[in-house]
Amino acid sequence: MNISIVGRHFDLTDAIKQHIESAIDGLKKYNLDIISTRVVIDADEKNGKKGYSVEFVINMTNKNTVVIRQKDKDVYAAVDLAIDRA
């Protein structure tokens, strides 16, 4: 499975990358035949409040592509919520 992690206006640390990779590995127990996963983390600031937007694009064999977008003020919480929705 290919995993691509991209940060927009955001510096990706090794801890965040490992958190995302372990969260994606948790999806293997559902036998979804995942081909690739693309994760885009975007840091944005509106009205003086900092927040993060996480987008998961999951490509599966013989199925539609799943796109999940989640926003939160904490990047780890946004990743966890998106994986829970997946």
Side-chain angles (χ1 to χ4, degrees):
M1 167 176 33
N2 281 337
I3 298 175
S4 171
I5 303 172
V6 179
R8 289 187 199 150
H9 313 291
F10 180 75
D11 291 328
L12 289 172
T13 63
D14 289 335
I16 293 172
K17 288 180 184 178
Q18 289 175 350
H19 183 74
I20 292 170
E21 288 172 358
S22 67
I24 292 170
D25 284 341
L27 294 176
K28 288 183 181 177
K29 65 182 175 185
Y30 297 111
N31 297 325
L32 298 174
D33 294 329
I34 297 173
I35 298 170
S36 66
T37 303
R38 183 167 192 255
V39 182
V40 179
I41 301 174
D42 189 13
D44 54 349
E45 189 170 335
K46 293 182 183 176
N47 301 328
K49 294 182 180 178
K50 195 168 189 174
Y52 299 96
S53 175
V54 177
E55 178 181 83
F56 280 82
V57 179
I58 303 171
N59 295 314
M60 295 180 282
T61 306
N62 300 325
K63 295 182 179 85
N64 292 332
T65 300
V66 176
V67 178
I68 300 166
R69 293 182 182 94
Q70 185 66 47
K71 291 184 179 184
D72 202 294
K73 58 186 173 185
D74 179 32
V75 68
Y76 291 99
V79 169
D80 291 341
L81 289 170
I83 287 295
D84 287 345
R85 290 177 56 199

